[in-house]
Amino acid sequence: MHIAYVIVTVVAALWVGFSAFSLLRRAPFVVDPLVEYGVPQTWWTPLGVAKALGSVGLLVGLFAPVIGAIAAIGLILYFAGAVVTVLRARSYKTVAFPVLYLVPVAVALGLGIAA
């Protein structure tokens, strides 16, 4: 179980970290949908920083489980909010994207609790 927890957590952290980096670098494949969803540009940097901190928190959680759990819960709330934002924008074809980030983080949290 511990090996699965470490692997899933590292993969989730890298995945979320890539998303944070892409948002902070203003990659078109990230920011174009944000414009479509109506997310104000002034929010983009704080959202990217939140994802980056969550990603780092997941990795720190491998050594300090409480930090990892807090980071995972924060990221789950973040991506749940992203799902709501996408649904409110009626962009049903893209709702899977925030879910693809939410699920590995939730699995990492579950494995961390079970470990």
Side-chain angles (χ1 to χ4, degrees):
M1 179 80 87
H2 183 69
I3 293 172
Y5 166 63
V6 171
I7 291 170
V8 170
T9 300
V10 169
V11 168
L14 292 173
W15 184 240
V16 172
F18 169 75
S19 177
F21 176 78
S22 300
L23 178 54
L24 292 170
R25 296 279 298 166
R26 304 294 195 253
F29 71 92
V30 176
V31 297
D32 290 348
L34 293 179
V35 171
E36 179 185 329
Y37 305 151
V39 177
Q41 189 171 356
T42 56
W43 292 13
W44 296 357
T45 298
L47 291 173
V49 169
K51 282 196 264 191
L53 290 173
S55 175
V56 170
L58 288 177
L59 294 175
V60 170
L62 294 172
F63 307 99
V66 172
I67 301 293
I70 292 168
I73 291 167
L75 286 170
I76 289 167
L77 292 172
Y78 178 99
F79 289 116
V83 168
V84 170
T85 300
V86 172
L87 291 174
R88 291 191 71 206
R90 293 191 168 103
S91 183
Y92 304 115
K93 64 183 179 186
T94 61
V95 75
F97 295 117
V99 172
L100 289 174
Y101 292 96
L102 189 149
V103 169
V105 173
V107 171
L109 176 61
L111 289 172
I113 290 170

